[in-house]
Amino acid sequence: MVNADIEIETLAEFDQVVARGSLSGYRVQSVNLLERTFALLSADTSAAVFLGCAMEPDAAAKVRADGALVFPPVPDLPFHPYRSLLYSADELFAGLSAGYEATLDAQAYAWFQETKSDGDVFSSMLRSIHDDAVSDALDEHLRGARVVGVMGGHAMIRGAVDYRGAAELGRTLARSGLTVATGGGPGAMEAANLGAYLAPAPDEALDEALELLAKAPSFVPSVSDWARVAFAVRERWPAGGDSVGIPTWFYGHEPPNAFAGHIAKYFANATREDGLLARCNAGVVFLPGAAGTVQEIFDNATPNYYASRGEPTPMVLVDRTHWTERLPAWPLLRALARDRGMESRIALVESVTEVPAALAAMG
């Protein structure tokens, strides 16, 4: 069996496997088994692994006696370290009615702030287990997808011309059958996820959504107000298209946006950055940004330069003035690419309207 065949991630999958008679060799991940005591007592659980599965004491004792490995749930955590699925905006923002501070997202960040420098190996282990579980869930979600990354700064405000352009880009890419992936935060990232979310809606929906969002143009000074307006847009168009956001609690001042259908949120920013770019198999678009976006350009350029992930993937930088004068990343990128396999896979364009054609030409 391949790995995907031995993972049990839902109660329905658990029941299906038990009906076949044996759990031997399976990995049961973050499933509440408190009501499946009889099944656990009856089934062969030898060589099984239970990751964060709640179960009654007699069931836990029995499966351990069978030789199974049991990693019990960890109490008093605001997150599930063994989680089997990606986050949703609804999950991360649960409790928003009482203010952002009451949400899972804010509580996980507060825990991270308390533990990131305390030297406790248990806390660092929990963060690592969580991030590895998120990566596993992300790979499962994106299996077979053509993923295009849209990178850009968090400072882009709702209502700005550039924000609209990023949203239109996300919508165009999603409508072409690509899965849009962003850093999952505010600004340009939110705009691209918004565009993908509204891809199934009529064109005029974007105009209406932008008008609503402009009521809270930034997550500063109030994340609560910023997020509530986003959820109002989602309520107005509930059947949104899917996209991926990959944010991090390392940048706690950047809340996740509510328009990514699936959210892979990490504690370790390095894992998040590399994982985001590595999964963009259909290319990456770099909108104007600052230090974080510059870092992402060269994080992406390095494996393209060495072809360490295989054939170089397309890179499109948007806004000639920004990338040649304000932050002249383009001349360096072009110099690096010279006489390398990536030379034909980089492009500099003036506006987002040119991006689809640029990607297609390099695809």
Side-chain angles (χ1 to χ4, degrees):
M1 289 185 292
V2 299
N3 287 340
D5 291 333
I6 64 173
E7 292 182 1
I8 297 175
E9 299 174 335
T10 67
L11 200 56
E13 291 176 348
F14 177 86
D15 291 340
Q16 289 172 4
V17 172
V18 167
R20 296 198 290 267
S22 176
L23 289 165
S24 179
Y26 280 87
R27 282 79 170 101
V28 190
Q29 191 174 355
S30 195
V31 180
N32 188 332
L33 300 175
L34 289 173
E35 297 184 359
R36 295 296 187 273
T37 298
F38 179 78
L40 291 169
L41 293 176
S42 305
D44 176 11
T45 57
S46 60
V49 178
F50 294 85
L51 299 165
C53 299
M55 61 182 79
E56 296 291 350
D58 54 342
K62 183 266 182 185
V63 300
R64 285 191 176 98
D66 277 354
L69 287 175
V70 178
F71 295 80
V74 181
D76 303 320
L77 283 178
F79 62 93
H80 299 298
Y82 307 106
R83 64 179 303 113
S84 57
L85 302 173
L86 296 176
Y87 290 101
S88 67
D90 288 330
E91 182 181 4
L92 287 172
F93 284 103
L96 182 62
S97 59
Y100 173 68
E101 295 73 17
T103 65
L104 183 157
D105 188 67
Q107 292 172 3
Y109 176 61
W111 178 88
F112 178 45
Q113 287 293 93
E114 292 171 3
T115 63
K116 67 180 181 180
S117 58
D118 63 7
D120 184 354
V121 66
F122 184 56
S123 297
S124 61
M125 181 188 73
L126 290 173
R127 292 194 295 270
S128 296
I129 290 173
H130 169 274
D131 285 1
D132 188 69
V134 167
S135 290
D136 182 65
L138 184 60
D139 284 336
E140 291 175 359
H141 176 68
L142 294 178
R143 187 172 292 122
R146 295 187 66 235
V147 183
V148 60
V150 179
M151 310 297 144
H154 68 263
M156 186 185 291
I157 64 170
R158 297 165 171 172
V161 173
D162 288 348
Y163 186 97
R164 171 186 286 275
E168 290 173 345
L169 174 63
R171 184 176 63 180
T172 299
L173 295 173
R175 286 178 174 177
S176 72
L178 295 167
T179 296
V180 174
T182 78
M189 297 171 280
E190 180 188 57
N193 286 131
L194 168 67
Y197 182 86
L198 292 176
D203 286 355
E204 58 268 21
L206 182 57
D207 291 330
E208 296 179 47
L210 292 174
E211 185 175 346
L212 286 170
L213 290 170
K215 296 176 181 178
S218 173
F219 64 96
V220 178
S222 173
V223 174
S224 300
D225 292 345
W226 175 83
R228 287 178 183 132
V229 172
F231 278 98
V233 170
R234 287 182 27 161
E235 289 174 10
R236 173 70 177 81
W237 294 278
D242 190 28
S243 65
V244 174
I246 307 181
T248 173
W249 280 295
F250 182 82
Y251 295 131
H253 63 289
E254 289 187 13
N257 76 71
F259 297 112
H262 291 82
I263 301 173
K265 190 150 192 179
Y266 289 88
F267 288 106
N269 187 49
T271 304
R272 169 252 192 175
E273 290 276 8
D274 185 69
L276 169 56
L277 295 167
R279 290 171 175 85
C280 294
N281 53 19
V284 184
V285 180
F286 299 92
L287 301 175
T293 310
V294 172
Q295 177 182 339
E296 288 163 345
I297 289 172
F298 292 103
D299 280 347
N300 195 44
T302 300
N304 280 348
Y305 179 88
Y306 290 111
S308 56
R309 294 181 184 142
E311 184 181 357
T313 52
M315 299 176 65
V316 182
L317 278 60
V318 181
D319 191 327
R320 294 179 185 278
T321 300
H322 186 83
W323 294 121
T324 61
E325 297 178 19
R326 295 191 193 101
L327 295 174
W330 174 253
L332 178 53
L333 180 63
R334 187 171 56 180
L336 279 172
R338 190 172 296 120
D339 298 326
R340 309 289 296 191
M342 66 182 286
E343 187 171 18
S344 63
R345 313 285 286 183
I346 63 172
L348 175 66
V349 299
E350 184 59 35
S351 72
V352 292
T353 60
E354 302 172 71
V355 169
L359 285 172
M362 295 185 288

